[in-house]
Amino acid sequence: MMNEKKKTLDQNEQNLVQATFSLSVRLKYVKLGYHYLVSNALYLMVIPLFCIILTHLSTITVEDFIQLSENLRLNYVAVWLLSISIVFLATFYFMCGPRNVYLVNFACYKPERAQMVSKELFMQLSAKNERFTEESLTFQKKILDRSGFGQTTYAPKALTQVPANQTMAEARKETETVMFGAIDELLAKTGVKPRDIGILVVNSSLFNPTPSLSAAIVNHYKLRGNILSYNLGGMGCSAGLVSIDLAKQLLQVHRNSYALVVSTENITYNWYFGNNRPMLVTNCLFRVGGAAILLSNRSSDRRHSKYELIHTLRTHKGADDKSYNCVMQQEDEVNKVGVSLSKDLMAVAGEALKANITTLGPLVLPLSEQLLFFATLVARKVLKMKIKPYIPDFKLAFEHFCIHAGGRGVLDELEKSLGLTQWHMQPSRMTLYRFGNTSSSSLWYELAYTEAKGRIKKRDRVWQIGFGSGFKCNSAVWRAVRTVNPTVEKNPWMDEINKFPVQVPQVTSIVY
């Protein structure tokens, strides 16, 4: 009797699962049909109107055309003035309208193999430095076990020594090696001469020596004396997109210009040798990396550029105390300086993302998604219906997603919140696995991965999302000008792209 009941329950459960799956499939196709109908509504309305016009034109005779020609000849002054006005307005629009900004190319720095640090080596070096308590070493191991890192991330040479050589000279050497390495590769890719660059924007959150990093680039490449040079500091992992936005604004003002954007972070000078747990997390997550990006507003550069910048959107939650304090550089109880990460970080990041996509959505989402979102909002706020908020399907707006590889928890939360697939998350997860958190430059390693996989096709749209201290959430939307051929690309993934993707376990056990 019990076996029969169990079989009946199993059969009912199986039928329920099948029915649920069948319903979800039907709803999926209903939504796709709705999206197709709304997206093509304009064409569906225009076609009948066009047919009516053609039908009407078919009734016009040769005599009607002759009569029309005579009328225009009699009013040639009006026709001439109208033509001049149209030409003038078109010229005025193209001269004064927003200038297109193109991403000519970009390069990501790949450190030497000698700088590669496995998780076991990381723990061994931490133990040999004899500055961490057993509790701190156990905590760092726990973070690394769940980090989503592989065994091939990179650390600066100064920190792989025992004792660590944490000096200004070593810090400057690390940053200059990364910046110059990325810029050298970028200039080789584009063929642009250093003196052709009119705008320079550099961002490094925690390392800002005097002279500045932007001055170091000007000196090294002998850039011209009237270059517009900017050095952004203290803006966290989202500073890369802040730099892109600043360069875009400058390119709207200065005609026929190239803008060089350099994003990096320094590990040597900001390694934390204390035992405060919220400050130890950054040691475990951040690794060496940097990127250089060349932007242009020259129309002649379009044909050999990769992407066109469509939107940049910046959201700043710094007016809220909890948001402002969730990532803070400060001294610990024994006056050692480090960056403390608050437990509120995930909640703050979620609120910042919500504010950002609420503004971005109307700019990028198809009308079908905007109507569904609006209808749900009215039902909840006006009609007081108890229904879940509608989360727009951003997969209908973008083909590719580059989400800052800040950590496994961040990626898991965004995958769930945005309803993304493993395929969409692959560039971010593989970047975290292979290179770790390279701060503001991680978005470019992710885009490089997407290119190396041969995914970028002409007119594809890419959404880059960055998070940073302050607290900020920034977005950049790009559209591919051409299909990117991976066989002719040079980027840090090319010699090993066939090894990816890999399965990343939820937890690994480090033995050191």
Side-chain angles (χ1 to χ4, degrees):
M1 181 70 70
M2 292 294 293
N3 290 334
E4 290 181 2
K5 286 184 177 180
K6 186 176 181 181
K7 286 182 180 179
T8 304
L9 288 172
D10 289 342
Q11 185 64 40
N12 290 339
E13 185 177 347
Q14 186 176 359
N15 292 337
L16 180 61
V17 170
Q18 290 176 348
T20 304
F21 176 75
S22 178
L23 179 62
S24 66
V25 170
R26 287 198 296 270
L27 287 174
K28 177 183 176 182
Y29 283 108
V30 167
K31 185 175 180 181
L32 286 174
Y34 162 76
H35 169 66
Y36 181 81
L37 179 65
V38 175
S39 299
N40 295 279
L42 181 62
Y43 300 106
L44 295 175
M45 289 186 292
V46 167
I47 289 174
L49 182 62
F50 184 68
C51 291
I52 294 171
I53 293 172
L54 284 179
T55 303
H56 181 70
L57 289 175
S58 64
T59 62
I60 299 177
T61 63
V62 176
E63 288 76 11
D64 294 327
F65 278 109
I66 294 173
Q67 183 65 38
L68 179 62
S69 176
E70 289 295 328
N71 290 336
L72 290 175
R73 192 176 302 165
L74 292 174
N75 295 284
Y76 71 93
V77 175
V79 173
W80 182 80
L81 289 174
L82 180 62
S83 302
I84 292 295
S85 300
I86 292 173
V87 171
F88 174 78
L89 290 174
T91 303
F92 180 79
Y93 173 79
F94 286 111
M95 291 290 288
C96 300
R99 293 181 175 84
N100 294 333
V101 174
Y102 302 104
L103 191 160
V104 181
N105 216 321
F106 68 97
C108 300
Y109 178 71
K110 189 173 185 178
E112 300 172 358
R113 190 173 183 81
Q115 292 179 242
M116 202 173 282
V117 176
S118 66
K119 288 182 280 190
E120 288 78 8
L121 180 56
F122 175 93
M123 290 304 305
Q124 290 167 14
L125 291 169
S126 294
K128 286 179 181 178
N129 271 290
E130 299 181 350
R131 302 193 193 182
F132 302 108
T133 64
E134 283 300 320
E135 291 78 11
S136 293
L137 290 172
T138 301
F139 177 73
Q140 291 182 75
K141 179 182 180 299
K142 184 179 178 181
I143 294 294
L144 284 175
D145 283 343
R146 294 163 173 78
S147 64
F149 281 21
Q151 301 284 47
T152 56
T153 59
Y154 298 97
K157 292 180 180 179
L159 296 181
T160 57
Q161 304 171 15
V162 179
N165 188 14
Q166 196 178 33
T167 64
M168 173 65 78
E170 285 295 329
R172 193 183 286 275
K173 182 179 178 181
E174 177 204 335
T175 297
E176 290 182 353
T177 300
V178 172
M179 293 193 308
F180 299 161
I183 296 171
D184 286 347
E185 183 180 322
L186 178 63
L187 296 178
K189 281 182 176 182
T190 60
V192 172
K193 297 177 181 178
R195 293 191 67 83
D196 291 336
I197 297 169
I199 298 167
L200 172 64
V201 184
V202 180
N203 67 269
S204 173
S205 186
L206 294 173
F207 184 61
N208 293 284
T210 300
S212 66
L213 299 179
S214 57
I217 293 173
V218 172
N219 175 262
H220 183 80
Y221 292 97
K222 309 306 176 189
L223 302 184
R224 64 199 200 197
N226 64 343
I227 190 167
L228 301 175
S229 174
Y230 298 86
N231 202 99
L232 307 183
M235 304 192 79
C237 300
S238 68
L241 296 184
V242 175
S243 297
I244 292 292
D245 181 64
L246 174 59
K248 182 190 80 169
Q249 303 299 336
L250 292 167
L251 287 170
Q252 296 303 311
V253 179
H254 302 277
R255 297 174 178 275
N256 298 317
S257 297
Y258 284 116
L260 174 63
V261 175
V262 181
S263 295
T264 189
E265 191 54 86
N266 185 274
I267 309 299
T268 300
Y269 212 59
N270 298 287
W271 200 257
Y272 175 64
F273 284 108
N275 292 285
N276 184 298
R277 285 194 173 190
M279 294 182 178
L280 283 169
V281 176
T282 55
N283 283 10
C284 301
L285 296 182
F286 285 92
R287 295 294 184 268
V288 173
I293 305 97
L294 186 69
L295 303 178
S296 172
N297 59 9
R298 303 182 183 191
S299 56
S300 59
D301 283 327
R302 176 184 170 84
R303 56 190 175 86
H304 55 261
S305 294
K306 284 186 173 181
Y307 305 93
E308 181 180 351
L309 183 57
I310 307 303
H311 300 291
T312 55
L313 184 65
R314 295 163 57 180
T315 301
H316 205 308
K317 303 291 286 185
D320 174 65
D321 289 342
K322 187 169 70 172
S323 299
Y324 176 76
N325 291 306
C326 71
V327 181
M328 180 71 69
Q329 186 180 27
Q330 59 190 14
E331 295 169 326
D332 66 9
E333 57 277 1
V334 293
N335 294 325
K336 291 185 182 295
V337 177
V339 177
S340 177
L341 302 183
S342 165
K343 292 180 180 179
D344 298 323
L345 180 59
M346 293 301 296
V348 166
E351 288 299 316
L353 175 67
K354 187 188 299 183
N356 190 267
I357 64 176
T358 299
T359 307
L360 182 68
L363 300 176
V364 298
L365 286 170
L367 182 60
S368 58
E369 287 298 293
Q370 295 190 48
L371 288 175
L372 283 173
F373 178 79
F374 180 73
T376 307
L377 186 66
V378 170
R380 294 178 67 243
K381 300 296 184 181
V382 179
L383 303 180
K384 305 299 181 182
M385 296 175 64
K386 294 181 179 180
I387 58 176
K388 291 183 179 180
Y390 180 71
I391 306 299
D393 187 356
F394 280 91
K395 297 189 294 295
L396 297 174
F398 306 107
E399 284 73 33
H400 310 285
F401 297 79
C402 296
I403 301 168
H404 168 54
R408 177 176 230 149
V410 175
L411 298 181
D412 289 345
E413 190 64 31
L414 264 71
E415 179 180 356
K416 180 181 176 182
S417 299
L418 297 176
L420 302 180
T421 66
Q422 292 183 4
W423 187 88
H424 291 110
M425 295 299 297
Q426 195 180 110
S428 298
R429 293 197 185 278
M430 292 304 101
T431 295
L432 184 65
Y433 178 86
R434 176 63 181 85
F435 293 98
N437 181 348
T438 61
S439 191
S440 57
S441 65
S442 69
L443 299 174
W444 301 103
Y445 287 88
E446 294 163 17
L447 186 56
Y449 178 92
T450 308
E451 291 184 351
K453 278 294 183 182
R455 295 182 177 185
I456 301 294
K457 309 300 180 186
K458 186 176 181 179
R459 297 195 65 78
D460 276 3
R461 296 154 297 179
V462 181
W463 183 15
Q464 291 181 316
I465 313 171
F467 299 91
S469 57
F471 191 87
K472 298 178 288 296
C473 176
N474 301 322
S475 292
V477 177
W478 306 89
R479 182 169 56 226
V481 176
R482 57 182 171 87
T483 298
V484 177
N485 182 1
T487 61
V488 297
E489 281 300 307
K490 182 183 179 184
N491 74 41
W493 295 95
M494 291 312 303
D495 59 348
E496 52 186 294
I497 192 63
N498 292 331
K499 300 176 184 177
F500 295 93
V502 298
Q503 185 65 37
V504 183
Q506 290 291 327
V507 180
T508 59
S509 183
I510 304 171
V511 180
Y512 67 98

